[in-house]
């Protein structure tokens, strides 16, 4: 069974940092592209970042570019999101999700339950 | 950036009736070299992560009931639920993956 379990969320002050983790199991992690998607309380889904299967190619939404860094450790089957210079508008549930890559990009097909990040003083 | 706009924002449909949700992209998401539309549909129930229902505009994911169908091409797409069931109450999102990734704002589907 495919499982994605996020951790690392919590309360952080504006300007602070946080690192999220996503532990993957039940599939060959190193074969999949991985995404971070967030959802502010009561709002819609917003794509944040994605990383290629080998970690060599990363992309970010403009709203987080230069502040967030996505990475992965395929030996540990774990995805990370380092979040710096956090702002109140970064408050959201952060989901990790996997996407198959066989040439063209594909939509994320399995998602974790999410971890809540709250940026507040 | 490609902007995705869904309509309506909310929808109330009687059990057993048809529900239709529209999604429009600000530019075409049809990739001419493979004739595929890079468009997916998700269902999100309260307190749960999104679930992928449809990819490539019209391909149902494994296990998704056949009352869910997707159609459209280029910039205009539709998700149809042919006979609404109580368990279909959710928020539905379209997403383009042609140029990075963008979601529509969501459509809340309720029972009338």
């Amino acid at each position: 069974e495919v499982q994605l379990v996020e951790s690392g969320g919590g309360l952080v002050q504006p300007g602070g940092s946080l690192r999220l983790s996503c532990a993957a199991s039940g599939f060959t992690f190193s074969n999949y592209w991985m995404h971070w998607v967030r959802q502010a309380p009561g709002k819609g889904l917003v794509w944040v970042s994605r990383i290629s299967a080998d970690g060599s190619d990363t992309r970010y939404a403009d709203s987080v570019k230069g502040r967030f860094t996505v990475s992965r450790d395929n030996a540990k089957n774990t995805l990370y999101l380092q979040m710096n210079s956090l702002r109140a508008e970064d408050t959201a549930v952060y989901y990790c999700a996997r996407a198959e890559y066989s040439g063209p990009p594909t939509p994320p097909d399995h998602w974790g339950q999410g971890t809540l990040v709250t940026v507040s003083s | 950036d490609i902007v995705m706009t869904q309509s309506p924002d909310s929808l109330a449909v009687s059990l057993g009736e048809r529900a239709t949700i529209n999604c429009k992209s600000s530019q075409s998401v049809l990739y001419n070299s493979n004739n595929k539309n890079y468009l997916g549909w998700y269902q999100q129930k309260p307190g749960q992560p999104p679930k992928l229902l449809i990819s490539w505009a019209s391909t149902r994911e494994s296990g998704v009931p056949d009352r869910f169908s997707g159609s459209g091409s280029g910039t205009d797409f539709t998700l149809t639920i042919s006979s609404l069931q109580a368990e279909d109450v959710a928020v539905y999102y379209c997403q383009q993956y042609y140029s990075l990734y963008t979601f529509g704002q969501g459509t809340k589907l309720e029972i009338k």
Side-chain angles (χ1 to χ4, degrees):
Chain A
E1 179 194 4
V2 173
Q3 284 204 327
L4 297 167
V5 180
E6 301 93 338
S7 61
L11 176 63
V12 60
Q13 292 189 338
S17 298
L18 212 55
R19 188 176 84 153
L20 305 183
S21 299
C22 171
S25 61
F27 65 101
T28 304
F29 180 69
S30 58
N31 287 352
Y32 285 80
W33 287 25
M34 296 298 295
H35 295 255
W36 288 101
V37 175
R38 69 185 181 185
Q39 186 169 36
K43 303 296 185 182
L45 301 169
V46 176
W47 175 79
V48 171
S49 180
R50 74 108 173 104
I51 185 167
S52 61
D54 65 359
S56 63
D57 183 15
T58 59
R59 295 284 190 270
Y60 301 91
D62 287 345
S63 59
V64 307
K65 203 174 294 182
R67 299 188 299 124
F68 289 12
T69 302
V70 62
S71 62
R72 64 192 297 162
D73 185 335
N74 285 347
K76 294 183 178 180
N77 291 341
T78 304
L79 172 72
Y80 303 101
L81 185 67
Q82 178 66 43
M83 304 186 295
N84 299 330
S85 303
L86 283 162
R87 307 165 180 167
E89 54 265 35
D90 295 319
T91 294
V93 172
Y94 284 74
Y95 296 102
C96 68
R98 74 164 201 184
E100 189 174 354
Y101 185 79
S102 55
T106 60
D109 64 355
H110 282 273
W111 297 56
Q113 291 296 315
T115 187
L116 176 62
V117 172
T118 303
V119 184
S120 174
S121 55
Chain B
D1 293 5
I2 299 178
V3 177
M4 308 300 290
T5 304
Q6 293 180 225
S7 62
D9 289 334
S10 63
L11 180 63
V13 174
S14 301
L15 289 173
E17 296 300 305
R18 179 185 300 260
T20 302
I21 298 169
N22 300 302
C23 175
K24 188 175 184 67
S25 57
S26 60
Q27 64 187 77
S28 177
V29 298
L30 173 63
Y31 195 45
N32 290 328
S33 67
N34 60 11
N35 201 37
K36 286 189 171 186
N37 287 283
Y38 286 45
L39 189 284
W41 287 98
Y42 291 86
Q43 175 193 65
Q44 187 180 30
K45 297 181 179 180
Q48 295 185 18
K51 174 186 176 182
L52 180 64
L53 297 177
I54 288 171
S55 57
W56 310 114
S58 60
T59 302
R60 257 191 318 273
E61 295 296 297
S62 174
V64 173
D66 61 5
R67 63 180 181 274
F68 290 91
S69 64
S71 62
S73 185
T75 61
D76 292 280
F77 301 91
T78 300
L79 174 69
T80 301
I81 307 172
S82 60
S83 177
L84 189 70
Q85 305 299 304
E87 61 265 32
D88 300 335
V89 169
V91 179
Y92 292 84
Y93 296 91
C94 61
Q95 182 205 32
Q96 67 81 19
Y97 44 99
Y98 180 92
S99 174
L100 293 183
Y101 310 84
T102 318
F103 291 92
Q105 80 276 19
T107 295
K108 186 175 184 179
L109 177 58
E110 299 172 312
I111 305 293
K112 185 187 290 182

